[in-house]
Structure formats: structure tokens, C-alpha cells
Amino acid sequence: MTVRQTPWGPSPDAAAIDAMARATMARLPEPFRLHLGDVVLRVEEFADEATLDELGIDDPFALSGLYRGRPVGMKSVEDSGALPDMVHLYRRPILDEWAETGVTLEALVAHVLIHEVGHHFGLSDDDMHALEASAS
């Protein structure tokens, strides 16, 4: 793996982003943590072409995270055989946003993760902001 050098040192790799995301998950209130055990967390460089096409996104840097699955309240016993719920974090768009905004990388990863986890729970944007504040 090639590590891109920034003015602040080497770019954090996927393992570092993953560790930040898992630390955020550990800080979430217990009722949320209890329902995240089966959610798969993946850190990838970018969303694949099929995902970008499906979402109508031309610029791969425009997507920093994605939730794939059924929200908790919509789950059914008839869902057997379905793929596991997944949260995808896209490293390069996150790093670019980090460089552009000046927000700490930990705060940005937490923001993206909580937004995607919020979709897992079917939360509104206001609910996601409250959850993010509780995990700070």
C-alpha cells in the first residue's frame, strides 16, 4: 500500500479510519450499540462504479459513506438469506473533506459513521445530530 504524504505527515490508512469509526461506535448510547453487532463496517478507498451509477453520482469524491441494508424497524423474519447490513466509509473522500474543512479527522469520521448508522435505525437528520452530540 502506498501512503500519500501530506503536509501533516502520511495519510491515515484504512485501518486508522476503521479504528476511529469503531471508537465512535463504542461511544454510542447502549440502546444503539446493542443493535450494531451484526452491522458490517467496511472502509474502502472509493465507492465502486456500480454504486456511484446507482446513486447518480459522477464524482467519486462526493460520497464519503453509505449504508446498505434494511432499517431496524423494517426488519422481518422473512429477511432470511439477505446480505448483512453494511456501513461503507470511503477513505479518500473523507481525507479530502478533512483537508478542505479543517475539522479533526476523528470528528469527521464520527460524523460520517453516525450519519450512516442513523440510516440503519431510520433516524431523521435531527435525530442523527442528537446522536452525534451524545457520542462526542
Side-chain angles (χ1 to χ4, degrees), residues 5 9 28 45 66 92 96 103 106 108 111 116 120 127:
Q5 192 71 19
L28 292 174
E45 290 300 295
L66 180 68
R92 293 284 307 280
D96 269 32
V103 172
E106 291 82 1
L108 182 57
H111 174 76
E116 301 314 327
H120 175 65
D127 292 335

Side-chain angles (χ1 to χ4, degrees), residues 76-121:
S76 164
V77 294
E78 296 175 12
D79 290 342
S80 70
L83 292 173
D85 295 331
M86 295 183 127
V87 169
H88 300 264
L89 300 180
Y90 301 116
R91 188 182 85 88
R92 293 284 307 280
I94 288 171
L95 292 179
D96 269 32
E97 188 172 339
W98 172 49
E100 291 170 5
T101 64
V103 172
T104 68
L105 184 57
E106 291 82 1
L108 182 57
V109 169
H111 174 76
V112 174
L113 174 81
I114 289 171
H115 183 86
E116 301 314 327
V117 164
H119 290 301
H120 175 65
F121 292 104

